[in-house]
Amino acid sequence: MDRKRILVIDDEENFTKLIKWNLEKTGKYEIRVENSGLLGFSATKEFKPHLILLDISMPDMDGSEVAFQLKCDEDTKDIPIVFLTAVAKKEEVEANSGIIGGHPFIAKPVELEQLIDVIERNVY
Amino acid sequence: MAEKAKILIIGAGKCGRALVELFSKIEKITIIGVVDFNQDAPGIKLAKALNIPTAVDYREFMNRAGLSCIFNSTGKAQIEEELMLSKPAGVEVLGGCSVNLIQELIEEREKVEQQLKGLAERRDNVVDNIGVGAIPINPKMETPDFNKQIKKDEDLGKKDKIIESIIQNSAVATFVINSQHKVLYWNVACEELTGTKAKDLLGTSDHWKAFYSYQRPCVADIVIDNSFVDLDKFYKVYQGSTLIPNGLHAEDWYPKLGGRDRYIVFDAAPIYDTEGKLIAAIETLQDITERKKAEDELKKAYTRLKEMQNQVIQAEKLNTIGQLASGVAHEVRNPLGIILQGVNYLENKIPVKEGDISETLTMLKDSVKRADKIINTLLDFSRFTNLDLRPEDINSILESSLSLVKIKFESKNIDIIPEIKKDVPKVLADRNKLEQVFVNIFLNAIQAMPEGGNITIRSYGKKLEGIENGTSRREEGYFMIGEKVVVVEIEDTGVGIPEENLKKVFEPFFTTKGSTGGVGLGLSVTKNIIHMHRGIIYAESRFGQGAKVTVILKIAE
């Protein structure tokens, strides 16, 4: 079975390292990690992921801006994005059916199981 | 008698002297002699001063021609007898009673003269000091003293005019009343201010009509009567005048003065004569409506400003807390995310679920979840800038809150007793937030009743009579006495809250639930939400007999 490519854009290194280990362990995914929002766009163009896990609050360029960039480009506009956030509350996420701004939303800290669930539901 | 009557006075004591004095003033009588064996007698001295002949023995004068009358003022009967025997023919002898009578008459006349003198003096004083109000004694009265007054009255008329001028030409509304409360002066400025003409008031006691619709004292009246009790009774703002000794000062609003709503300042002062007797009172009125209105507006504006300032400060604080909270949330949640992913990783690394390691990892996961909850509540606590206030039906909010916790109620054997009023007025509220509030209160109630019990829910509208039950000063500012509000009461039959904790329960991190329970942020968040609604929440309880939480909210206008 072909592994799905997932691009993880998040400034927290340890987090992305663990995510990569955990997701790749399942055997289902090939993970690329980008720790800077500025590099997110170009990484997407290169990697051509089936889904992007995108952190919202990053110091250099936040996730919504990256999402906007991606939306503006023909090649990238249809790639599903799942936002990660440390600031929203779980109830809010649930109240909004886990969707904000048209994109699914996950609140950190998130359990691996839950993460995989969302990925499976949205991956291209 | 064609010619003057010639008399002889025997005895120059007090009585004799009085006779000398009397007769010497009467033109038609000549005293030909005054006799007394005591040449130092008062009558002798006077006679000598008046160039009237004196002697020791009366026989010296007995045969004078023209002698018509002999006065025996010695009081001695013996002399009287002698005189009767030795008097010349045709000469009358008056003694004893007659002399006494004359004496009395003289004394009377002296008294009367004194009185007249006194009256004249008083009149002079009154006229000199104010030149008004006193009714002058007819200057043409025929007694020698008053003839002098005719000239004085001309001066009096001038003084009167000057005083009248002074009062009339003052731009300050002034009126004067006398000690009988009759209006003496009512100047043009006063007519202008009150809309009442002087001609309608002079000489009357109707000055109250210019100000009031019923008869009551003006400050000048109070000054005349010295009735300070009235000052307190009729005036709200008053004091002794700081400028004038014994003067009074009062102020008030007059809705219809001269056709307009005016704020008047009254100053009244007493007027005394030279003997210190109170004879009149002068009252001035000043219309300071514009100034007073400006003052009141200023006070109101200041109060509003302070209020707004406080609100801004509060909002600022909350804003800062809000920012702080999201910062903290972010900073803490990232490490938590890492921990959780790490735990997941370790879980998958263990080939078989080994007891200890498994348990450890589970504990780690639980801790992460707990920390996450705290962050949640912290965010709750601080996220207040976006209250979505709308008119809402409180009963409907209560219902939806109930439905959220329904399962818990059923599982814990708890009965709901609704005592809600159907036609409760709508409240201005953020529905979601209020649901949180009630859910929180319900959850606390459930926790207080581990063996089951009842929860009574009441809702009704009422007029606020007073703020009680440990509400803070800030809360008191939200409502006014008499304001219509909506009240919600949630009462349980649980273990209750000890008295010392009744206020503390609303403080952050206060909890009695130990490590298995909540972190103690629920009720403080609840209280903050209520405050953001500008409402009040408080708890009452008797330990061991349940607790009641009361929420008071503003009505949506």
Side-chain angles (χ1 to χ4, degrees):
Chain A
M1 179 185 71
D2 261 339
R3 290 187 304 168
K4 298 283 185 184
R5 291 186 299 282
I6 299 184
L7 176 61
V8 180
I9 308 175
D10 187 315
D11 63 312
E12 192 71 55
E13 267 188 55
N14 287 336
F15 181 70
T16 51
K17 202 185 267 185
L18 277 169
I19 289 269
K20 183 172 157 98
W21 289 354
N22 281 332
L23 288 176
E24 282 184 343
K25 216 168 185 320
T26 63
K28 291 198 272 188
Y29 312 106
E30 183 192 335
I31 309 293
R32 173 160 166 177
V33 164
E34 212 48 69
N35 290 123
S36 163
L38 291 167
L39 300 173
F41 182 61
S42 50
T44 309
K45 293 274 259 187
E46 275 176 37
F47 189 54
K48 297 190 183 41
H50 296 99
L51 181 130
I52 303 175
L53 283 178
L54 184 49
D55 184 22
I56 296 256
S57 41
M58 292 185 285
D60 48 4
M61 180 192 266
D62 79 49
S64 44
E65 273 186 65
V66 177
F68 183 69
Q69 275 186 325
L70 294 170
K71 196 177 175 147
C72 293
D73 186 294
E74 268 302 312
D75 294 337
T76 57
K77 69 180 173 59
D78 293 321
I79 303 176
I81 297 174
V82 174
F83 281 121
L84 295 165
T85 176
V87 186
K89 286 154 37 197
K90 286 213 165 46
E91 297 87 71
E92 279 180 350
V93 175
E94 278 153 23
N96 290 287
S97 311
I99 299 207
I100 289 182
H103 294 291
F105 229 87
I106 298 180
K108 292 188 204 174
V110 61
E111 282 236 54
L112 184 59
E113 247 181 73
Q114 197 189 353
L115 182 60
I116 291 173
D117 188 44
V118 173
I119 290 172
E120 284 304 309
R121 279 195 273 128
N122 288 285
V123 75
Y124 199 38
Chain B
M1 279 186 274
E3 36 166 62
K4 295 190 185 183
K6 294 191 179 144
I7 65 170
L8 172 65
I9 299 176
I10 305 177
K14 195 170 123 209
C15 182
R17 186 197 181 284
L19 290 173
V20 170
E21 198 181 5
L22 178 67
F23 293 133
S24 64
K25 287 183 185 158
I26 302 176
E27 251 198 77
K28 292 193 176 130
I29 295 177
T30 307
I31 306 173
I32 59 162
V34 179
V35 175
D36 201 310
F37 62 79
N38 173 13
Q39 284 296 291
D40 286 325
I44 297 290
K45 284 198 176 152
L46 181 59
K48 283 191 176 160
L50 293 172
N51 284 329
I52 298 172
T54 62
V56 177
D57 188 348
Y58 64 78
R59 279 176 286 227
E60 275 187 44
F61 300 99
M62 283 290 269
N63 294 309
R64 287 292 167 83
L67 179 64
S68 52
C69 193
I70 300 176
F71 283 90
N72 173 19
S73 64
T74 61
K76 293 193 172 121
Q78 184 197 354
I79 300 203
E80 180 129 357
E81 268 185 53
E82 276 179 30
L83 283 172
M84 292 308 290
L85 289 170
S86 62
K87 72 175 173 85
V91 173
E92 269 193 76
V93 173
L94 295 178
C97 296
S98 323
V99 171
N100 283 341
L101 264 170
I102 296 177
Q103 174 114 28
E104 271 167 47
L105 278 170
I106 294 174
E107 277 169 27
E108 264 308 307
R109 190 186 130 144
E110 271 173 11
K111 265 193 232 164
V112 169
E113 269 187 357
Q114 281 296 74
Q115 277 178 357
L116 285 172
K117 196 164 152 210
L119 277 171
E121 269 174 17
R122 266 173 56 192
R123 193 204 107 189
D124 280 348
N125 284 335
V126 164
V127 159
D128 276 343
N129 282 325
I130 60 167
V132 298
I135 303 162
I137 298 169
N138 186 348
K140 300 220 174 23
M141 206 158 109
E142 263 166 0
T143 64
D145 288 335
F146 289 108
N147 286 332
K148 293 186 208 155
Q149 295 307 318
I150 296 173
K151 174 91 175 38
K152 247 196 181 152
D153 280 348
E154 284 165 5
D155 296 336
L156 160 70
K158 279 186 211 147
K159 255 196 206 157
D160 210 349
K161 287 254 177 313
I162 291 171
I163 288 167
E164 175 157 0
S165 238
I166 291 173
I167 295 179
Q168 280 298 1
N169 291 337
S170 171
V172 177
T174 308
F175 69 91
V176 180
I177 57 173
N178 69 8
S179 53
Q180 314 304 315
H181 298 271
K182 299 245 185 282
V183 177
L184 299 175
Y185 285 106
W186 186 273
N187 72 359
V188 170
C190 203
E191 289 181 329
E192 170 69 15
L193 183 74
T194 62
T196 306
K197 295 279 176 213
K199 64 175 170 60
D200 296 329
L201 292 176
L202 288 173
T204 73
S205 289
D206 294 341
H207 44 289
W208 58 269
K209 288 185 183 170
F211 307 101
Y212 311 110
S213 52
Y214 62 99
Q215 185 160 17
R216 49 154 280 185
C218 298
V219 189
D221 294 301
I222 294 175
V223 165
I224 294 284
D225 291 337
N226 225 9
S227 56
F228 300 107
V229 145
D230 281 343
L231 197 61
D232 183 55
K233 183 168 159 195
F234 289 105
Y235 291 93
K236 277 189 294 222
V237 178
Y238 63 85
Q239 61 184 60
S241 170
T242 47
L243 205 55
I244 305 163
N246 297 330
L248 294 177
H249 171 101
E251 341 180 336
D252 213 342
W253 281 101
Y254 287 84
K256 297 285 182 298
L257 205 58
R260 301 177 270 154
D261 200 355
R262 318 257 215 131
Y263 191 82
I264 310 287
V265 165
F266 304 92
D267 286 281
I271 297 176
Y272 303 101
D273 63 18
T274 52
E275 283 163 7
K277 184 166 173 285
L278 179 69
I279 48 171
I282 179 169
E283 181 167 338
T284 56
L285 310 102
Q286 290 184 78
D287 179 354
I288 59 165
T289 310
E290 299 313 313
R291 197 182 92 192
K292 185 77 184 158
K293 276 191 195 161
E295 262 177 36
D296 285 348
E297 281 304 310
L298 202 66
K299 275 192 207 146
K300 271 192 227 162
Y302 181 69
T303 316
R304 265 182 279 138
L305 197 68
K306 282 232 101 167
E307 221 185 82
M308 270 166 38
Q309 211 175 43
N310 284 336
Q311 284 179 22
V312 167
I313 292 174
Q314 275 300 107
E316 273 300 300
K317 280 191 195 160
L318 293 174
N319 210 27
T320 320
I321 296 175
Q323 287 168 352
L324 199 68
S326 8
V328 167
H330 184 266
E331 291 307 308
V332 173
R333 276 192 166 148
N334 271 320
L336 287 180
I338 295 169
I339 294 173
L340 195 53
Q341 287 300 308
V343 167
N344 285 153
Y345 178 79
L346 290 172
E347 275 177 327
N348 291 330
K349 266 292 205 185
I350 307 167
V352 169
K353 301 269 185 235
E354 277 184 40
D356 284 358
I357 298 181
S358 220
E359 208 181 310
T360 308
L361 293 175
T362 309
M363 285 196 286
L364 286 175
K365 272 205 283 192
D366 284 344
S367 293
V368 167
K369 285 203 189 112
R370 208 170 118 206
D372 189 40
K373 252 166 103 179
I374 293 178
I375 302 288
N376 256 358
T377 349
L378 184 67
L379 285 175
D380 246 340
F381 190 78
S382 57
R383 192 173 296 159
F384 292 116
T385 44
N386 305 317
L387 260 196
D388 185 16
L389 292 175
R390 289 166 202 215
E392 297 278 357
D393 173 19
I394 196 75
N395 291 334
S396 132
I397 298 180
L398 281 167
E399 252 184 69
S400 45
S401 312
L402 268 176
S403 62
L404 287 171
V405 289
K406 199 167 145 191
I407 298 174
K408 290 227 159 186
F409 283 146
E410 282 161 9
S411 68
K412 303 266 179 191
N413 195 22
I414 293 172
D415 289 323
I416 306 292
I417 304 174
E419 285 180 13
I420 57 175
K421 282 246 165 10
K422 287 256 153 65
D423 53 357
V424 181
K426 292 211 178 199
V427 293
L428 198 60
D430 179 324
R431 177 172 262 269
N432 275 333
K433 295 272 186 305
L434 277 196
E435 273 175 15
Q436 275 184 49
V437 162
F438 293 127
V439 162
N440 190 259
I441 299 175
F442 289 137
L443 290 176
N444 275 287
I446 292 169
Q447 295 213 313
M449 298 185 286
E451 319 289 317
N454 294 332
I455 295 183
T456 310
I457 306 174
R458 292 183 202 99
S459 70
Y460 54 92
K462 83 165 185 184
K463 233 177 178 186
L464 208 59
E465 251 126 70
I467 314 282
E468 65 277 319
N469 292 339
T471 50
S472 64
R473 288 215 74 99
R474 178 160 65 114
E475 290 158 330
E476 282 167 25
Y478 292 154
F479 292 108
M480 294 190 291
I481 308 281
E483 184 176 334
K484 290 211 190 106
V485 295
V486 166
V487 182
V488 172
E489 290 173 11
I490 297 173
E491 192 167 354
D492 64 54
T493 56
V495 297
I497 306 168
E499 176 143 2
E500 63 267 18
N501 286 345
L502 274 176
K503 280 192 214 164
K504 287 197 203 156
V505 293
F506 293 106
E507 282 168 26
F509 302 112
F510 179 86
T511 180
T512 55
K513 293 176 194 167
S515 57
T516 53
V519 297
L521 278 176
L523 277 180
S524 67
V525 171
T526 296
K527 179 167 171 172
N528 268 295
I529 293 176
I530 297 294
H531 277 183
M532 284 309 292
H533 282 81
R534 299 182 73 72
I536 294 179
I537 180 170
Y538 56 87
E540 294 161 279
S541 170
R542 248 175 314 198
F543 194 51
Q545 294 183 33
K548 178 168 90 167
V549 175
T550 308
V551 175
I552 303 181
L553 292 166
K554 281 192 178 291
I555 296 187
E557 293 294 345

